[in-house]
């Protein structure tokens, strides 16, 4: 019994919550366009499956592209910033300014520059994802162990050797922390981007666009179904970045090695 | 004609910024193949002295000559064993030992064979594919010594390498270190807090006083090598140990 508890408990809690959901809906006579029942949501998801699948595909595309751009540019920028304290002092405030400007204001600007659709969505996702990558990775590049640095001096290491064999691997745990945060933000970024700057073909757009459509048509069960799908996409992303984290660090990093 | 000393310190002094001098007027000539222990109260600058010889920090007074060169230029011939083992956690043991050879692009030594030989020398031939976290403190220190020896340095600087280990492990590593030196002779500078360790290993023990660090006394250890573990129980050894401890107490005010 005891060893089944780890999965039994959440399943039981889920069952209780669903029961309460049905109970409250029945008790207070809540209309389905206000709060649909779980089975109505599943039915709506099945009915709208074609629209939802292509919406998820579109959003995932925006999320992946924006995420990859943020990770790549973030890593390169961090290396540049960590190169000297003067460079960091010169540029960091402007990166902060970029981060502090709300995406909701940046979105129309992107639409003006890039038009409605994927390029704008990617740009918005990028804006949301890249700061955690830059902040963490820069920290990683800067906080290199002093003794290890002196070891490299004793080895007559060149600057590029020091970066390749010391700073990059040393910054990896920090970088991956940034990547993890970016991974949880990417689907949100892409959906927000789609909501603010998305476009549609034949009435089908990304998840953000479908949200607007279903809302305006008062298709509440389909709206909930969209939320459910977005949640799944988020989990997929988190799973992916967690796997990357595990893959790159499991052999040596304290957070993953099991010490007896 | 005698060979020139491999390391010469001439009125060497060091202060950090505008602070008080850490080391003052250090004069020391060390012959090739000597084993010099540096001992003294904390804050006497013994680690700083090692870092000066390594060229990791420049002296602020006097001069240091390492094999006829400035310390920074002599680095090819010198290696440093740091206080903790200072291994790269993401590299396997063999890759850690190989690191200095790779970074220095030393083509005279065959890397793979050299790494293997060094690991066997320190008794860790089986641990080549392990990661540092899988090793005990004593094993990590052995890897660190294998790494230092991989480049066949003429001068080895050891900064309290066994300070964090228990006495039994430390004694073993001391014996091993002398065994390695018998086969691979290098000049050693060894910083320690342990009088017994200093006397057992060295040809000379340099006792430093603190604030500022100066050479208080240099004690010559007459015992020939190889030195068996039983040396530690002989009256002559114990007498020298007592004498060294007395000198150390004298500077500890």
């Amino acid at each position: 019994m005891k060893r089944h508890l780890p999965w039994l408990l959440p399943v039981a809690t889920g069952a209780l919550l669903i029961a309460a959901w049905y109970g409250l809906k029945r008790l207070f006579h809540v209309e389905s366009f206000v709060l649909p029942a779980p089975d109505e949501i599943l039915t709506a998801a099945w009915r709208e499956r074609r629209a939802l699948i292509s919406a998820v595909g579109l959003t995932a595309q925006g999320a992946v592209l924006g995420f990859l751009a943020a990770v790549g540019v973030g890593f390169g920028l961090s290396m540049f910033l960590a190169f000297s304290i003067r460079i960091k002092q010169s540029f960091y405030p402007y990166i902060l300014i970029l981060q502090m400007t709300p995406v909701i204001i940046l979105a129309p600007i992107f639409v003006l520059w890039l038009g409605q659709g994927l390029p704008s969505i990617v740009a918005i996702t990028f804006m949301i994802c890249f700061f955690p990558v830059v902040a963490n990775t820069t920290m990683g590049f800067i906080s290199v162990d002093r003794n290890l640095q002196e070891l490299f001096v004793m080895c007559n290491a060149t600057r590029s050797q020091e970066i390749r064999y010391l700073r990059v691997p040393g910054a990896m745990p920090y970088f991956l922390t940034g990547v993890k945060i970016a991974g949880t933000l990417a689907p949100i970024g892409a959906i927000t981007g789609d909501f603010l700057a998305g476009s549609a073909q034949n009435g089908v757009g990304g998840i953000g666009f479908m949200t607007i459509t279903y809302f305006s048509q008062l298709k509440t069960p389909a709206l909930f179904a969209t939320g459910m799908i977005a949640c799944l996409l988020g989990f997929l992303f988190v799973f992916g970045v967690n796997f990357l984290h595990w893959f790159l660090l499991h052999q040596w990093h304290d957070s993953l090695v099991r010490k007896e | 004609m005698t060979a020139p000393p491999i390391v010469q310190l001439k009125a060497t002094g060091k202060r950090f910024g505008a602070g008080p001098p850490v080391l003052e007027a250090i004069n020391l000539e060390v012959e090739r193949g000597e084993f010099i222990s540096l001992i003294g109260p904390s804050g006497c600058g013994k680690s700083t002295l090692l870092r000066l010889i390594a060229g990791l920090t420049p002296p602020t007074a006097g001069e240091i000559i390492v094999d006829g060169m400035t310390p920074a230029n002599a680095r090819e011939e010198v290696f440093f064993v740091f206080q903790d083992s200072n291994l790269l956690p993401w590299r396997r043991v063999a890759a850690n030992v190989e690191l200095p050879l790779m970074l220095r692009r030393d083509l005279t030594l065959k890397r793979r064979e050299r790494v293997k030989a060094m690991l066997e020398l320190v008794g860790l031939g089986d641990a080549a594919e392990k990661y540092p976290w899988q090793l005990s403190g004593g094993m990590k220190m052995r890897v660190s010594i294998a790494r230092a020896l991989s480049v066949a340095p003429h001068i080895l600087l050891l900064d309290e390498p066994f300070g964090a280990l228990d006495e039994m492990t430390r004694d073993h590593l001391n014996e091993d270190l002398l065994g390695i030196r018998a086969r691979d002779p290098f000049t050693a500078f060894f910083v320690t807090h342990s009088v017994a360790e200093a006397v057992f290993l060295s040809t000379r023990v340099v006792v430093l006083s603190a604030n500022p660090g100066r050479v208080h006394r240099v004690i010559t250890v007459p015992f020939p090598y190889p030195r068996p573990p039983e040396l530690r129980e002989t009256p002559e050894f114990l007498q020298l140990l007592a004498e060294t401890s007395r000198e150390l107490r004298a500077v500890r005010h």
Side-chain angles (χ1 to χ4, degrees):
Chain A
M1 180 65 192
K2 208 168 180 178
R3 68 198 169 94
H4 292 303
L5 281 178
W7 62 269
L8 221 57
L9 283 175
V11 167
T13 312
L16 271 174
L17 284 174
I18 288 171
W21 188 337
Y22 277 112
L24 289 173
K25 188 169 154 62
R26 192 74 52 87
L27 190 66
F28 295 105
H29 305 287
V30 185
E31 295 287 353
S32 280
F33 73 87
V34 178
L35 179 68
D39 63 283
E40 288 173 302
I41 295 169
L42 289 176
T43 315
W46 181 251
R47 205 184 315 115
E48 300 285 337
R49 62 187 180 277
R50 294 187 59 179
L52 284 177
I53 285 169
S54 68
V56 164
L58 248 151
T59 300
Q61 200 182 349
V64 168
L65 290 174
F67 169 78
L68 290 179
V71 169
V73 173
F75 188 83
L77 190 64
S78 305
M79 204 181 257
F80 175 69
L81 289 176
F83 199 78
S84 97
I85 185 72
R86 299 280 170 240
I87 293 178
K88 190 177 171 224
Q89 284 168 346
S90 310
F91 287 91
Y92 210 69
Y94 301 101
I95 295 168
L96 272 176
I97 287 174
L98 221 56
Q99 171 66 16
M100 290 307 160
T101 314
V103 171
I104 206 148
I105 296 166
L106 290 175
I109 299 173
F110 284 136
V111 173
L112 281 175
W113 291 346
L114 304 167
Q116 296 261 319
L118 193 62
S120 286
I121 294 169
V122 171
I124 289 166
T125 310
F126 172 87
M127 289 305 300
I128 288 181
C129 290
F130 111 120
F131 187 72
V133 178
V134 172
N136 281 289
T137 314
T138 307
M139 188 51 121
F141 278 131
I142 294 172
S143 29
V144 183
D145 188 286
R146 224 181 102 93
N147 285 327
L148 290 180
Q149 242 174 306
E150 292 194 332
L151 170 71
F152 273 65
V153 172
M154 287 316 295
C155 293
N156 283 334
T158 61
R159 179 84 187 171
S160 66
Q161 281 179 327
E162 198 210 67
I163 290 171
R164 179 168 167 202
Y165 296 110
L166 178 61
R167 286 187 188 264
V168 170
M172 227 7 92
Y174 293 84
F175 168 66
L176 288 168
T177 303
V179 169
K180 264 190 178 181
I181 300 171
T184 58
L185 294 176
I188 300 170
I191 292 166
T192 311
D194 190 48
F195 195 91
L196 298 170
S199 65
Q201 286 172 334
N202 311 321
V204 177
I207 289 179
F209 191 88
M210 296 317 287
T211 310
I212 301 171
T213 312
Y214 291 140
F215 174 63
S216 63
Q217 296 170 349
L218 232 58
K219 286 187 178 172
T220 314
L223 197 58
F224 272 74
T226 314
M228 199 175 70
I229 300 280
C231 183
L232 278 177
L233 181 68
F235 270 117
L236 219 63
F237 248 85
V238 170
F239 179 80
V241 291
N242 278 344
F243 177 77
L244 185 73
H245 182 257
W246 174 86
F247 182 76
L248 289 173
L249 298 184
H250 71 107
Q251 287 194 295
W252 68 272
H253 197 249
D254 283 337
S255 63
L256 291 168
V257 296
R258 194 175 300 170
K259 289 194 176 165
E260 272 96 48
Chain B
M1 218 179 92
T2 52
I6 189 163
V7 175
Q8 280 175 284
L9 290 118
K10 295 179 182 172
T12 306
K14 175 72 182 177
R15 59 169 76 210
F16 293 101
V22 179
L23 289 167
E24 202 172 70
I26 305 284
N27 287 297
L28 194 63
E29 291 199 347
V30 176
E31 303 297 326
R32 210 169 275 273
E34 274 202 272
F35 197 117
I36 305 291
S37 280
L38 302 167
I39 196 163
S42 46
C44 71
K46 44 195 193 299
S47 291
T48 305
L49 193 54
L50 277 200
R51 294 164 51 78
L52 287 171
I53 299 169
L56 289 172
T57 182
T60 45
E63 198 183 2
I64 301 170
I65 303 164
V66 179
D67 205 10
M69 292 173 269
T70 64
N73 287 334
R75 229 176 251 142
E76 294 262 313
E77 305 190 19
V78 181
F79 212 86
F80 206 105
V81 176
F82 295 83
Q83 222 163 47
D84 58 23
S85 58
N86 210 17
L87 303 174
L88 302 183
W90 53 84
R91 289 174 84 90
R92 291 173 198 269
V93 165
N96 261 295
V97 175
E98 194 188 357
L99 187 82
L101 286 171
M102 182 188 76
L103 294 178
R104 285 184 175 181
R105 296 195 193 79
D106 193 332
L107 302 173
T108 56
L109 297 162
K110 285 186 179 158
R111 266 201 235 160
R112 283 281 151 73
E113 291 163 27
R114 184 75 187 164
V115 169
K116 200 161 170 268
M118 289 304 109
L119 281 174
E120 269 158 22
L121 193 63
V122 298
L124 282 176
D126 298 333
E129 292 308 308
K130 290 197 167 153
Y131 280 93
W133 66 268
Q134 294 170 299
L135 308 178
S136 68
M139 287 161 95
K140 277 191 239 182
M141 216 55 234
R142 281 170 198 270
V143 177
S144 183
I145 289 168
R147 173 176 68 187
L149 295 173
S150 72
V151 287
H154 294 155
I155 301 165
L156 197 56
L157 308 170
L158 303 105
D159 189 5
E160 278 185 65
F162 310 138
L165 305 175
D166 61 89
E167 201 175 329
M168 214 160 71
T169 313
R170 175 193 288 218
D171 284 352
H172 273 297
L173 285 170
N174 283 170
E175 289 147 27
D176 291 347
L177 190 62
L178 288 187
I180 290 164
R181 215 170 75 91
R183 295 166 55 176
D184 218 343
F186 49 82
T187 308
F189 287 81
F190 190 96
V191 167
T192 179
H193 275 122
S194 155
V195 178
E197 190 172 53
V199 174
F200 183 71
L201 292 171
S202 314
T203 53
R204 286 192 286 165
V205 179
V206 176
V207 182
L208 295 167
S209 62
N211 305 317
R214 290 168 186 265
V215 176
H216 169 69
R217 226 196 112 186
V218 180
I219 297 165
T220 303
V221 183
F223 312 118
Y225 298 94
R227 293 178 181 171
E230 300 76 46
L231 175 70
R232 294 193 186 97
E233 289 143 29
T234 62
E236 294 83 1
F237 181 87
L238 293 171
Q239 201 189 335
L240 198 57
L241 199 65
E243 191 192 333
T244 314
S245 297
R246 255 199 315 278
E247 294 298 337
L248 194 56
R249 260 200 310 281
V251 295
R252 234 166 221 168
H253 39 252

